[in-house]
Amino acid sequence: MEVVVEILVVNPNSTQSMTDKIVEAARAVASPGTVIHGATAAGAPASIEGHYDEAMSLPGLMARVREAEAKGIDGIVVACFDDPGIAACRELASGPVLGICEAAVKAASMLATSFSVVTTLPRSVPVIEHLIHGYGLSHQCRRVRSAAIPVLALEEPGSNARIKVRDEILCAIREDRCEAVVLGCAGMADLTAWLSEETGIPVIDGVSVATRMIEALVGAGLKTSKINAYAFPNEK
Amino acid sequence: MEVVVEILVVNPNSTQSMTDKIVEAARAVASPGTVIHGATAAGAPASIEGHYDEAMSLPGLMARVREAEAKGIDGIVVACFDDPGIAACRELASGPVLGICEAAVKAASMLATSFSVVTTLPRSVPVIEHLIHGYGLSHQCRRVRSAAIPVLALEEPGSNARIKVRDEILCAIREDRCEAVVLGCAGMADLTAWLSEETGIPVIDGVSVATRMIEALVGAGLKTSKINAYAFPNEK
Amino acid sequence: MEVVVEILVVNPNSTQSMTDKIVEAARAVASPGTVIHGATAAGAPASIEGHYDEAMSLPGLMARVREAEAKGIDGIVVACFDDPGIAACRELASGPVLGICEAAVKAASMLATSFSVVTTLPRSVPVIEHLIHGYGLSHQCRRVRSAAIPVLALEEPGSNARIKVRDEILCAIREDRCEAVVLGCAGMADLTAWLSEETGIPVIDGVSVATRMIEALVGAGLKTSKINAYAFPNEK
Amino acid sequence: MEVVVEILVVNPNSTQSMTDKIVEAARAVASPGTVIHGATAAGAPASIEGHYDEAMSLPGLMARVREAEAKGIDGIVVACFDDPGIAACRELASGPVLGICEAAVKAASMLATSFSVVTTLPRSVPVIEHLIHGYGLSHQCRRVRSAAIPVLALEEPGSNARIKVRDEILCAIREDRCEAVVLGCAGMADLTAWLSEETGIPVIDGVSVATRMIEALVGAGLKTSKINAYAFPNEK
Amino acid sequence: MEVVVEILVVNPNSTQSMTDKIVEAARAVASPGTVIHGATAAGAPASIEGHYDEAMSLPGLMARVREAEAKGIDGIVVACFDDPGIAACRELASGPVLGICEAAVKAASMLATSFSVVTTLPRSVPVIEHLIHGYGLSHQCRRVRSAAIPVLALEEPGSNARIKVRDEILCAIREDRCEAVVLGCAGMADLTAWLSEETGIPVIDGVSVATRMIEALVGAGLKTSKINAYAFPNEK
Amino acid sequence: MEVVVEILVVNPNSTQSMTDKIVEAARAVASPGTVIHGATAAGAPASIEGHYDEAMSLPGLMARVREAEAKGIDGIVVACFDDPGIAACRELASGPVLGICEAAVKAASMLATSFSVVTTLPRSVPVIEHLIHGYGLSHQCRRVRSAAIPVLALEEPGSNARIKVRDEILCAIREDRCEAVVLGCAGMADLTAWLSEETGIPVIDGVSVATRMIEALVGAGLKTSKINAYAFPNEK
């Protein structure tokens, strides 16, 4: 009989349509024995565009993680490319926790010697550069680029957002000489296949790769270390 | 007539006695023309011991910063050594914003070729190491050490916390060959003079140095850049 | 009907008993739909102890990878902690390729803020340090340690090798203040569970985590980039 | 009664008109209780354009610092963007010492996530890049640029030097996507306000920010560490 | 009477005409007391274009080094810019061993504050970038460029390869603002003088500088350390 | 007929006995066709112990380099381990210039995967650490150690300085697990052979290796780049 693995995929913003899209992307790649639980951070901003939005999303995010931990969740994906509150989530969780930026750039570093990131707004570029510096992958990241679109434009049916993302990837290939491209927003998860086809280069979506990597860590019997930094929060 | 500079010194945890101590430390070093406004993050944990506490302190911290900005504050000190929410505060503020870790380690780098940090709990060590890596000062930081005391023990009159901090500094001098020591907790601000005397080495307190550095940036006419990363939050 | 994923787990040394142990470790963690194909590098040294052994293992390793690629393998694990010839294997392969050092230290970086590595011989320490520098994780690696045992001692039933490995881990916990430990040799794969129990710290084995990570990359639809560095070898 | 703080602002080149301009810039931002003492390095080159000029400026610079220290100076600003002899000055001085490059780039790192530097001659670019590497801020510095003007052209009333500096800043905003600009020459101190207005971006002058930062360090009770590297010079 | 120094210059690919050219370059710069022994890696690919070719060249390379060591060679130059198998050669050799990339970029770092590399194929660019990262010289390397020519085109009399190399160097001067250029292929050794003349910039050929540096290390009485990493291979 | 190469070996301090010893060390390793010219920096401190001494040595050092350049010197060794004024000397010189720290640590990086440095006084340790950071070799340098002896004690016949140096090297082998040791003072040049014998590890003296490396650069036809940073000083 197959072992069931339960994974929380939590959207730190409060836009339900984005949660739906993210959960769909996670389910599309999940293994047969995996159950994906979607969740939305209640009270969070409608989109995470910068550090302030990120800060305001955290209590809602923590609440979702606490609930899932209480129910014995096996692993957690935080589905926003700014990787908000990952370390705090790791304190709350027994199982492994991954942000989609960390998962995507570490996957990229396994598939190519260099990559570029294409995100939504210019103001997210330094956020992502800082994350990649912390993950130790600056030497493999050619450039973090923005397609100059608001996050929620990706949710609007008639917008030209997907065209702008594709054109920015083509630009990255030409100018950055990158060997792979990472999509810098959870809201782009449904564009991956189309973008790979259009551009002829491996295009990496954080939601799907993070989902499968959490499965991998759980499957290898690994859990978040509870020694020191990621120990459960101190009682007050 | 002297120009008045108004500075917010905000304690991201909810312990009023710590706010009082921090405000006292800031006022003790502030210039004659400076007014220090103290504030406490309502709803935050009683102490910031790790990433989860930090995450839960942010909405209260943001509220204090928003209020101060609305009243035309000139500069802001966030008085917790984990530098919680600094980038988010910079989005909200027109004037300069400094965390006490950033201020203290950058000051240390101007006074000595190497320094060690002495903080409270072991779980704060990796948090501070990560901050220093981001500030680009890992090559000058010999080691981040913990004196193994809970943050609030510094508030208890009869505790031996100050003795433990002193002994850890003496250890740092002997083992790390550091040329200065940075105190890794806002709650140690009142110990600085005594520790310098006892150990014979420059001991740097983040609260006082951050307060004076914010004065310096304001006095030099400098403000937070509103281009890109620290632009005011997007309307939703 | 379940999709079958076929993974090559190749031992770059020529010791069949080590291949058997490695394949067993991979199968123990593999998903139901995964088929693990073991292979041994014919003509390679009996163990990889240093750069020369590594160099001499490469043609045999390449032959195994070429064969598997011709048969349409989905992903490849190179099961030696020195990560020999990974970039060359990536040129030959369509699917993803992982060395067990890269997989293990990247996994460790997702579960803890710091880790130490425990390997066999002192001469392997600088090899692994160099790999970790290239993977960008030096800032999270506290120390690479050797338990001072020859690789093949791990294959001898009566040896005290496992005791030495355990004692070195205990030493790492005490002296390095690390939050996780990575086992620095494919031959230690069968000790993981026992070592975790004995030491109370997450102990990471490269073979099992690499196997699951390859599954994850394959499952997320990702392949080795064929643009530039990892393009198929040029015809001569 | 106000405490008086005495600060030496020393010009390491021998051009008196540049000293005058620098002292004026320092006095314009100094706090009411601060006395600025200007000094010129006798026997130094007329301008510091490269490493040789810097080397030849040092004995004159050291003499000025020695004299000021003997008279009990509280803090010292070395007003040349190549930060000549800072470590040597720190050996001579009890109080804090800052070069204007170090002060300006550390200030920039507190106000923006990225900055570019605009200096005078191309030959100064690598000097400044090397300084910034040593200060640990390479990851925040987008680019060091030269406006291709000799240092002393900044002193000539009719020259188009200020136009060239402005145009180079506009170029930096467009091409480097930087969030702030640092002026890479003490002789540009009087252009700051005009350049900020013309370009709409925070423009940072090292002389004014270094003056205020020295005040800050003095005000926080901090002095140069006399343990090890910056101990007073050994008697011969 | 002059001491005779014997140096092996080994070509890791199997193209004899390239060995001849390399040996000629080495002899052209060697000191009067030096004897240059040329060798070709039997069984290796005709050219080293990427990691797979490099892997397949190693056994032939090792055999040449073993033979030379047995005859008491004083020092070894491995004449391929990918520095294949250098660490393995150092295990086999008593005397010093240098790859031409390591020699050339370290020489460049002694003559200029920055340099660019011009190599043959785009796929070699990431290989060289990775080497330079390992040698710690990324901060001095402006860019690794390819002239988009196959290695063996350099051997064809009528090809326009040399023109392409010259044009790429001119491009590097203009766009990278580099102060020196390193030739990124052993097969370019005969072009050095002509390229220096045409471009007016120091052009560094790895074969000649590695030959002279090996002489230097031998002449200074230095040998490969036999402690730990480069100890002779373990007997099996 | 042999080409004569003329090399200046300049002692930046004013102690003639140290110059004599340095010149002797250089001549002991120089090739037959090389003429070593010794020089002492007139007016410099008797020893270079820290940044102030270094600053005060520069005009005397520059004068010696200027004179030698005027007479057509081929290459220059600056024989003090703090590498004083190297960049300034490179501006004055046509031929290559090397400091003995740069030469020694780059040689060490070619012979071993890791090294430690043993210098004289504790105050020189941060100076050397800063140099090695600039040379990009921090990842190969295990530790910079001091034997706690004044520079001139090395000149006193009856002192126990050499014993202290040897004991510190033995300590480095044991504690740092280094594979080679670099002597961190020009005044130790005569101890190299004895120290190698006593400690059984490669011991690298900067004077001899710098002399041979300058020969190597000259012999390979290489000169200091005169583009940009090391261009001849501007006329005033």
Side-chain angles (χ1 to χ4, degrees), chain A:
Chain A
M1 202 199 74
E2 187 141 343
V3 178
V4 171
V5 172
E6 311 216 29
I7 294 178
L8 173 72
V9 177
V10 53
N11 173 14
N13 75 37
S14 58
T15 300
Q16 183 63 40
S17 66
M18 199 175 283
T19 311
D20 295 345
K21 191 201 287 186
I22 289 164
V23 167
E24 192 179 356
R27 284 186 183 142
V29 299
S31 295
T34 298
V35 178
I36 300 294
H37 300 270
T40 306
S47 59
I48 311 285
E49 299 174 322
H51 309 89
Y52 175 76
D53 289 349
E54 191 186 322
M56 296 310 286
S57 75
L58 295 184
L61 173 60
M62 294 303 127
R64 294 293 85 78
V65 170
R66 257 196 191 288
E67 290 159 16
E69 176 69 15
K71 289 182 189 154
I73 200 80
D74 292 306
I76 297 167
V77 171
V78 179
C80 167
F81 207 79
D82 292 359
D83 284 359
I86 297 302
C89 294
R90 284 179 179 152
E91 288 189 19
L92 290 178
S94 308
V97 178
L98 269 177
I100 63 173
C101 174
E102 181 172 358
V105 298
K106 287 184 179 170
S109 74
M110 296 169 175
L111 300 168
T113 66
S114 67
F115 60 88
S116 285
V117 177
V118 173
T119 187
T120 49
L121 289 177
R123 72 181 306 152
S124 296
V125 171
V127 177
I128 296 169
E129 288 174 337
H130 181 74
L131 286 173
I132 291 174
H133 181 68
Y135 298 144
L137 292 176
S138 299
H139 63 303
Q140 289 189 256
C141 180
R142 290 282 188 211
R143 185 166 158 191
V144 181
R145 292 165 163 275
S146 119
I149 44 173
V151 170
L152 296 181
L154 292 161
E155 304 302 289
E156 293 161 22
S159 93
N160 66 344
R162 58 163 56 206
I163 301 300
K164 283 191 170 173
V165 172
R166 184 201 57 191
D167 291 353
E168 194 67 29
I169 294 176
L170 293 173
C171 221
I173 295 170
R174 206 169 50 242
E175 294 178 9
D176 311 348
R177 296 157 293 123
C178 60
E179 298 170 4
V181 162
V182 171
L183 297 180
C185 180
M188 296 176 181
D190 55 339
L191 305 179
T192 320
W194 178 74
L195 289 167
S196 290
E197 248 174 70
E198 288 279 307
T199 64
I201 199 174
V203 174
I204 299 166
D205 160 53
V207 176
S208 46
V209 78
T211 302
R212 290 295 312 222
M213 278 207 174
I214 281 292
E215 279 187 359
L217 295 170
V218 170
L222 295 170
K223 295 179 165 235
T224 295
S225 170
K226 288 293 150 185
I227 311 293
N228 210 12
Y230 297 148
F232 292 110
N234 292 6
E235 295 295 321
K236 302 289 167 186

Side-chain angles (χ1 to χ4, degrees), chain E residues 8-205:
Chain E
L8 173 72
V9 178
V10 54
N11 173 14
N13 75 36
S14 60
T15 299
Q16 184 64 38
S17 65
M18 199 175 285
T19 311
D20 295 345
K21 192 203 284 188
I22 288 165
V23 166
E24 193 179 355
R27 284 186 183 142
V29 300
S31 296
T34 298
V35 178
I36 301 293
H37 300 271
T40 305
S47 57
I48 311 285
E49 298 173 321
H51 309 91
Y52 175 75
D53 289 350
E54 191 185 323
M56 297 309 286
S57 76
L58 295 185
L61 172 60
M62 294 302 127
R64 293 294 84 78
V65 170
R66 258 197 191 289
E67 289 160 16
E69 176 70 15
K71 288 182 188 153
I73 201 77
D74 292 305
I76 296 167
V77 171
V78 179
C80 167
F81 206 79
D82 292 359
D83 285 0
I86 296 302
C89 294
R90 283 179 181 153
E91 288 189 19
L92 290 177
S94 308
V97 177
L98 270 175
I100 64 173
C101 174
E102 181 172 359
V105 298
K106 288 185 178 169
S109 74
M110 296 167 176
L111 300 168
T113 64
S114 67
F115 60 88
S116 285
V117 177
V118 174
T119 188
T120 49
L121 288 178
R123 71 181 306 152
S124 297
V125 171
V127 177
I128 296 169
E129 288 174 336
H130 181 74
L131 287 172
I132 291 174
H133 181 68
Y135 298 146
L137 291 175
S138 298
H139 63 303
Q140 291 190 256
C141 179
R142 292 283 188 208
R143 185 166 158 190
V144 181
R145 291 165 164 277
S146 117
I149 44 174
V151 170
L152 296 181
L154 292 161
E155 304 301 287
E156 292 161 20
S159 93
N160 65 346
R162 57 162 56 204
I163 302 299
K164 283 191 170 172
V165 173
R166 184 202 57 191
D167 291 353
E168 194 66 31
I169 294 177
L170 293 173
C171 222
I173 295 171
R174 207 170 46 242
E175 294 178 8
D176 310 349
R177 297 158 294 123
C178 60
E179 299 170 3
V181 162
V182 171
L183 297 179
C185 179
M188 296 174 181
D190 56 337
L191 305 178
T192 321
W194 177 74
L195 288 168
S196 291
E197 248 175 68
E198 287 278 308
T199 64
I201 199 174
V203 174
I204 299 168
D205 159 54

Side-chain angles (χ1 to χ4, degrees), chain B residues 1-5 7 29-34 211-221, chain D residues 2-7 9 23-37 207-220:
Chain B
M1 202 198 74
E2 188 142 344
V3 178
V4 171
V5 172
I7 294 177
V29 299
S31 295
T34 297
T211 302
R212 291 294 312 222
M213 277 205 175
I214 281 293
E215 280 187 0
L217 295 170
V218 171
Chain D
E2 186 139 349
V3 177
V4 171
V5 171
E6 312 217 27
I7 294 178
V9 178
V23 167
E24 194 179 353
R27 285 187 182 141
V29 298
S31 296
T34 298
V35 178
I36 300 294
H37 300 270
V207 176
S208 45
V209 77
T211 302
R212 289 295 311 223
M213 277 207 174
I214 281 292
E215 279 187 359
L217 295 171
V218 171

Side-chain angles (χ1 to χ4, degrees), chain D residues 45-56 58-59 62 66 85 87-89 91-92 121-127 130 133-134 136 152 228-236, chain F residues 45-56 58-59 62 66 85 87-89 91-92 121-127 130 133-134 136 152 228-236:
Chain D
S47 58
I48 311 286
E49 298 175 322
H51 309 90
Y52 176 76
D53 290 349
E54 190 185 324
M56 297 309 286
L58 295 184
M62 294 302 128
R66 256 196 192 289
C89 294
E91 288 190 17
L92 289 177
L121 289 177
R123 73 182 304 153
S124 296
V125 171
V127 176
H130 181 73
H133 181 68
L152 295 180
N228 211 11
Y230 297 149
F232 293 110
N234 293 7
E235 295 294 321
K236 301 289 165 186
Chain F
S47 58
I48 311 286
E49 298 174 322
H51 309 90
Y52 176 76
D53 290 350
E54 190 185 323
M56 297 309 285
L58 295 184
M62 294 302 127
R66 258 196 191 287
C89 294
E91 288 190 18
L92 291 176
L121 288 177
R123 74 181 304 152
S124 296
V125 170
V127 177
H130 181 73
H133 181 69
L152 296 181
N228 211 10
Y230 298 148
F232 292 111
N234 293 6
E235 294 295 320
K236 301 291 167 185

Side-chain angles (χ1 to χ4, degrees), chain F residues 108-128:
Chain F
S109 74
M110 296 167 176
L111 301 167
T113 65
S114 67
F115 60 88
S116 285
V117 177
V118 174
T119 188
T120 49
L121 288 177
R123 74 181 304 152
S124 296
V125 170
V127 177
I128 295 168

